[in-house]
């Protein structure tokens, strides 16, 4: 599958494209798209809460559940592990699982720092 990098606009494929798709799903809240209201995940709804250990477990469960929603288009990756880790400006989700017959590991950062004004 071929895609476009969300930051650079360049063409990406393979593993980079998979991570880009997963990042898009994890950072898009459900009902966040007008024509595809069931696309996305419940991950963003936990971002405003205090990051207690129990909240991190709920967030991990929401992240894993997103892989099993067919509209998200992530059926080519089968997660075996998801770990949420606190960062200074948000958190990161570390995933491990099977993709194209290989075990892969990667990170999806979820930044909650205030956006910078361009004006």
């Amino acid at each position: 599958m071929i895609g476009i990098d969300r930051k650079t606009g360049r063409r990406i494929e393979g593993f980079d494209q998979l991570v880009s798709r997963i990042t898009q799903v994890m950072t898009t809240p459900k009902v966040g798209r007008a024509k595809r209201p069931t696309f996305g995940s419940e991950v963003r709804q936990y971002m405003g809460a205090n990051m207690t250990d129990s909240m991190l477990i709920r967030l991990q469960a929401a992240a894993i559940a997103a892989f099993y929603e067919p509209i998200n288009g992530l059926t080519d990756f089968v997660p075996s592990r998801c770990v949420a880790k606190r960062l200074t400006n948000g958190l990161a989700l570390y995933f491990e699982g099977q993709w194209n017959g290989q075990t892969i590991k990667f990170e999806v950062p979820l930044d909650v720092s205030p956006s910078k004004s361009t004006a």
Side-chain angles (χ1 to χ4, degrees), residues 5-6 8 12-13 17 20 24 37 39 41-42 50-51 62 70 73 75 79 86 91 106 115 119:
D5 186 278
R6 295 168 16 139
T8 65
I12 56 174
E13 54 188 310
Q17 203 271 339
S20 177
Q24 184 176 18
F39 177 87
S41 70
E42 305 277 331
N50 290 333
M51 286 294 127
T75 56
R86 294 175 191 95
L91 59 95
F106 58 94
S115 59

Side-chain angles (χ1 to χ4, degrees), residues 1-50:
M1 190 179 282
I2 298 172
I4 298 173
D5 186 278
R6 295 168 16 139
K7 294 180 183 175
T8 65
R10 294 181 186 227
R11 175 183 157 162
I12 56 174
E13 54 188 310
F15 177 73
D16 292 333
Q17 203 271 339
L18 171 71
V19 173
S20 177
R21 285 188 293 138
I22 293 171
T23 301
Q24 184 176 18
V25 169
M26 296 303 149
T27 58
T28 302
K30 286 198 175 203
V31 305
R33 292 187 172 187
K35 299 209 179 208
R36 292 175 66 193
T38 57
F39 177 87
S41 70
E42 305 277 331
V43 169
R44 298 294 294 179
Q45 80 181 30
Y46 297 108
M47 295 301 293
N50 290 333

